[in-house]
Amino acid sequence: MTDQIPPPEPAEAGEGAAVGGSAAPGEPVAAPEPAAAPETPAAPEPGAPAEALLDALDPEQRAVATALLGPVCVIAGAGTGKTRAITHRIAYGVRTGTYSPTAVLAVTFTARAAGEMRERLRALGAPGVQARTLHAAALRQLAYFLPRVAHRQLPRLIEHKAPVVAQAAARLGMEVDRAAVRDMAAEIEWAKVNRWTAEDYQHKAASAGRGTPAGHHPTAIARLISVYEEILGQTGAMDFEDVLLGAAGLMLEYPQVADQIRNQYRHIVVDEYQDVSPIQQQLLDLWLGARQELCVVGDPNQTIYSFTGATSHYLTTFQERYPNSTVVRLVRDYRSTPQVVWLANSLLRRARRGSGGESEVAAGVELVAQRPSGPAVSYRSFPDDAAEASGIAAAISQTVAGGVEPQEVAVLFRTNSQSEPLEHALAQARLAYRVHGGQRFFSRPEVRQAVAFLRSEARAPSEATTPQRVRDALGAAGWTPEPPAGRGRQREQWESLDALARLCQQMYDAGASTMDAIVALVLQRQAHDHPPPGAGVTLASLHAAKGLEWDAVFLAGLSDGLVPISLAETPEQVAEERRLLYVGVTRAREHLTLSYAASRNQGGAASRRPSRFLTSLWPEDGADPPSARTPGQQITGRGLPPAPAELTEAEEKLYRRLVAWREREAAAASLPAFAIVPDVTLRGLARANPRTVRELAMVRGIGPVKIARYADSLLAALTNG
């Protein structure tokens, strides 16, 4: 076999696979959706030298981009621009001739992240690079080689284990409810990603300290695993773990397959490397063979999926396995204000002083804030859960009235059961919201039906305007201009359809003037599982929020027993709960509010206390929060320059000119000023003072939609006043 592995189709089964699809203690996990379309960097002008790709990078990012050969390990803190660094590294390697585009394979763990990487690489002039989830890459290889070398067709891929687990339990006469089936599915997934057979599980589970689901003996779970595998075999099906196991097994059994894959993909980049499981590491090792052309990027401080078999061990021991490796630490946080960064760093400093399993965070980085000073972190306590939910809703109303867009606000919590009172409070406050997580956007029945109506409308002759045709098609699917009065499933369906309606309007405003053009763009997003941003406040679990960010974040329910959750008993589990809180804190760009309720029910005993992770950080009544007293102490160090707290006189003058421009645009569009460009983006424009569309696109907050709408008038305002 000498033919090349075929390029990917627009849509690949398995592309949506997340790090883990099973349950954490008390929490189901879903692949996250983006809060907004990713911003795309501008490619260098044609004929520009390769070094032009490095102009937009800071010194540490540049060190990543220029370390093109040999093993490279990037320890990238939250908000430090890791995607920018690794995509520029790949593009720079292609531009200098060090890499052939088709010889590079970049893998990550969510379809959203893979789609963002593809968009950035395309914009940087490296569209031939393969960027996909690890599952999708393995599935593509398995589908290609299995019929050729093993003369077998690819089994049917099941997205959910629960029905098969329930069937296996019934065959064994095990009495199980939905919760038990979910936990058993998670245990089967854990065993498979750790490469344990049913026999391995029976003999190793007890010694490994595994608490078996629903209290069943390890022997019973081992039998369940055996019957589960029998049912898959009898029905010609496989699960997501089988994709990885099958791809690895094929390379081990057929050396010619391994040789062909290694000959094609000579450079491998792995994002979110702290989330690699043993079977995923085995597959990476097989792809590499004897080569060391591997670049890994990760953050031990964001290891929050160990319950699925993910481990930061491979990241933290990278230098031991590759003594000649280049290690770069990205520490400059461009996302969050110094106040938010101070709290994030403080959480981990306390862990470093801890003992047992918490000492591993020392391998991470301490963030260095690069943004100007912002508002103090807010700490609030409430008498009960309902009061906390109402207080959060009232604070969100004030935040939105102050200029923050609703889709730039999130309420994060530890378990899904905390969502209900928050939903009720937001509905009472007449705030639009969406519950994040669960089924992927384009897989939802109402969205699939709406897309079908859009396609049908595009084929039908009509003299109506394109916006009216979109409204008619979505109306047939159940969309209405105003939301329904109730909550629950009806509201969720409307939110999905309304998000699709707004997406189509944005496409029309950006130049897609016909139904055919809009449908083509919708189908493209559907193929890459790239959902639209939500217009309302986001409600999400801390696990589901990983990889996302908002201007304002409310962390709810931060009491002991929830954070850390009571099911976390070992030092390692408690350490992971601390990292989970760290992830929640670092989702906030500017506004961060922490809260807890002293009692669950109104009038109940005040038995709750703030999370142990916040001891000495939570201010006494009437005192300033510690992060408000000393924000400046944390934004210098390690030889890095501090971020300027204020605009210079020239920048302030330009900023005022931009404010005037924004007011003109807002008046012309009958929109509030913040809907055009928020203040933080105007400040970034004043500092950068871009003169070309390419330079404009490098400013944070100026994405493709704003470029299409405002580039000409904005550049004129910057240049001529």
Side-chain angles (χ1 to χ4, degrees):
M1 296 181 300
T2 58
D3 52 330
Q4 189 180 64
I5 303 170
E9 300 297 331
E12 298 190 43
E15 189 70 80
V19 175
S22 58
E27 179 62 31
V29 175
E33 301 166 1
E39 295 175 17
T40 306
E45 299 295 335
E51 282 65 29
L53 282 164
L54 308 178
D55 291 344
L57 306 181
D58 67 29
E60 293 78 31
Q61 293 170 345
R62 183 184 291 250
V64 173
T66 54
L68 297 178
L69 299 175
V72 177
C73 179
V74 183
I75 308 296
T80 57
K82 67 181 178 67
T83 304
R84 173 180 288 269
I86 59 175
T87 52
H88 278 73
R89 177 183 186 269
I90 294 169
Y92 184 66
V94 170
R95 194 67 174 270
T96 59
T98 308
Y99 305 154
S100 168
T102 57
V104 180
L105 175 62
V107 294
T108 186
F109 287 90
T110 67
R112 178 195 62 82
E116 179 180 355
M117 198 177 293
R118 281 193 295 270
E119 288 186 25
R120 292 197 183 208
L121 288 168
R122 188 180 302 114
L124 290 169
V129 173
Q130 301 299 308
R132 54 184 19 85
T133 66
L134 200 147
H135 278 85
L139 183 61
R140 185 71 176 166
Q141 294 169 9
L142 197 60
Y144 178 76
F145 286 113
L146 195 63
R148 286 168 170 77
V149 299
H151 309 293
R152 290 188 288 116
Q153 293 303 309
L154 188 71
R156 174 177 56 89
L157 182 65
I158 61 169
E159 288 202 28
H160 305 289
K161 294 182 178 65
V164 183
V165 172
Q167 186 179 351
R171 285 191 185 182
L172 292 169
M174 300 171 70
E175 294 186 6
V176 294
D177 56 16
R178 288 184 62 185
V181 168
R182 184 196 66 189
D183 292 344
M184 288 173 171
E187 193 71 358
I188 290 173
E189 178 177 323
W190 183 90
K192 295 182 79 165
V193 300
N194 281 282
R195 298 178 294 173
W196 281 18
T197 64
E199 185 178 356
D200 291 332
Y201 190 93
Q202 180 175 348
H203 294 103
K204 295 180 180 179
S207 60
R210 296 290 296 174
T212 54
H216 289 286
H217 192 275
T219 301
I221 301 299
R223 287 199 299 267
L224 181 75
I225 294 172
S226 294
V227 175
Y228 171 86
E229 295 297 341
E230 286 176 8
I231 294 173
L232 289 183
Q234 291 165 0
T235 57
M238 66 177 179
D239 58 28
F240 279 114
E241 290 67 53
D242 289 329
V243 172
L244 304 178
L245 291 164
L250 207 61
M251 294 181 73
L252 289 169
E253 186 173 355
Y254 299 97
Q256 68 270 37
V257 171
D259 288 343
Q260 186 170 341
I261 291 173
R262 291 167 190 161
N263 285 336
Q264 177 163 346
Y265 298 123
R266 309 194 68 81
H267 303 274
I268 297 177
V269 178
V270 187
D271 192 14
E272 302 289 357
Y273 193 57
Q274 78 278 352
D275 291 328
V276 165
S277 68
I279 180 56
Q280 291 165 342
Q281 182 61 47
Q282 182 190 31
L283 188 58
L284 290 170
D285 290 339
L286 288 168
W287 285 346
L288 281 168
R291 293 196 311 272
Q292 295 191 353
E293 292 305 321
L294 173 66
C295 174
V296 301
V297 187
D299 181 7
N301 294 334
Q302 298 188 68
T303 304
I304 60 172
Y305 293 112
S306 66
F307 58 90
T308 69
T311 173
S312 62
H313 171 77
Y314 302 110
L315 175 63
T316 57
T317 61
F318 190 85
Q319 280 183 287
E320 297 175 22
R321 289 181 290 124
Y322 298 100
N324 63 329
S325 60
T326 299
V327 178
V328 182
R329 292 174 175 266
L330 299 183
V331 300
R332 302 177 194 240
D333 187 316
Y334 297 98
R335 175 188 299 160
S336 305
T337 62
Q339 286 79 3
V340 174
V341 170
W342 184 93
L343 177 59
N345 284 336
S346 297
L347 284 172
L348 297 184
R349 282 199 206 98
R350 292 171 56 79
R352 294 187 188 102
R353 294 197 299 267
S355 59
E358 295 190 350
S359 62
E360 70 177 34
V361 299
V365 301
E366 181 163 318
L367 299 172
V368 180
Q370 300 297 296
R371 288 190 56 181
S373 184
V377 174
S378 176
Y379 300 78
R380 303 190 65 187
S381 59
F382 297 89
D384 54 67
D385 287 349
E388 182 182 20
S390 296
I392 289 173
I396 291 174
S397 295
Q398 292 178 346
T399 301
V400 171
V404 178
E405 299 181 52
Q407 63 265 32
E408 287 296 344
V409 180
V411 185
L412 308 182
F413 37 79
R414 178 60 182 85
T415 69
N416 282 344
S417 62
Q418 296 169 262
S419 175
E420 197 281 332
L422 291 163
E423 291 183 57
H424 178 73
L426 291 174
Q428 289 289 102
R430 303 185 64 82
L431 287 165
Y433 67 88
R434 66 185 187 112
V435 180
H436 175 75
Q439 196 171 22
R440 295 194 298 274
F441 181 82
F442 283 107
S443 297
R444 298 171 190 169
E446 65 272 18
V447 175
R448 291 202 305 269
Q449 182 183 52
V451 172
F453 279 127
L454 287 171
R455 298 180 73 174
S456 177
E457 178 64 32
R459 291 192 293 267
S462 175
E463 295 182 1
T465 65
T466 299
Q468 184 59 52
R469 296 181 71 186
V470 169
R471 288 192 290 270
D472 291 344
L474 296 181
W479 174 76
T480 57
E482 296 297 324
R487 294 181 287 119
R489 180 59 183 153
Q490 183 185 17
R491 178 59 181 253
E492 291 176 9
Q493 290 175 334
W494 182 87
E495 294 284 359
S496 296
L497 295 176
D498 193 57
L500 188 59
R502 285 182 283 98
L503 177 65
C504 291
Q505 184 63 47
Q506 290 169 3
M507 291 172 172
Y508 179 79
D509 292 343
S513 59
T514 67
M515 280 298 297
D516 285 339
I518 287 176
V519 168
L521 290 171
V522 168
L523 293 177
Q524 184 180 48
R525 293 179 75 106
Q526 184 182 45
H528 294 302
D529 194 30
H530 185 182
V537 174
T538 298
L539 296 176
S541 71
L542 289 166
H543 280 99
K546 175 74 168 64
L548 306 179
E549 58 186 80
W550 295 269
D551 284 345
V553 170
F554 293 79
L555 298 179
L558 298 184
S559 59
D560 247 31
L562 283 172
V563 182
I565 198 165
S566 58
L567 297 176
E569 298 175 345
T570 68
E572 292 78 14
Q573 290 170 338
V574 172
E576 183 144 327
E577 292 288 303
R578 183 189 293 275
R579 294 193 296 269
L580 190 58
L581 178 56
Y582 172 84
V583 166
V585 167
T586 55
R587 299 311 92 195
R589 298 190 190 107
E590 189 164 359
H591 304 277
L592 177 62
T593 299
L594 285 66
S595 65
Y596 81 101
S599 173
R600 179 174 183 176
N601 300 313
Q602 187 175 9
S607 57
R608 292 174 175 169
R609 295 292 180 268
S611 168
R612 72 191 72 167
F613 301 145
L614 298 169
T615 302
S616 81
L617 297 175
W618 197 281
E620 299 293 333
D621 289 343
D624 288 335
S627 60
R629 294 196 298 266
T630 56
Q633 293 180 6
Q634 305 305 321
I635 62 173
T636 60
R638 295 184 185 238
L640 299 178
E646 303 292 341
L647 297 174
T648 66
E649 184 177 346
E651 290 169 346
E652 182 67 30
K653 184 177 179 180
L654 184 54
Y655 173 74
R656 294 300 170 194
R657 191 192 306 166
L658 291 170
V659 169
W661 165 83
R662 183 175 64 177
E663 290 176 352
R664 293 193 298 271
E665 291 289 342
S670 299
L671 291 171
F674 66 79
I676 305 298
V677 177
D679 286 347
V680 65
T681 302
L682 288 187
R683 288 195 293 269
L685 287 165
R687 286 200 177 90
N689 194 9
R691 297 293 173 167
T692 66
V693 172
R694 175 174 174 267
E695 292 174 352
L696 195 62
M698 292 181 181
V699 177
R700 184 178 183 84
I702 302 296
V705 173
K706 286 186 171 57
I707 290 287
R709 290 180 184 173
Y710 307 124
D712 292 342
S713 64
L714 184 50
L715 288 173
L718 286 161
T719 305
N720 303 317

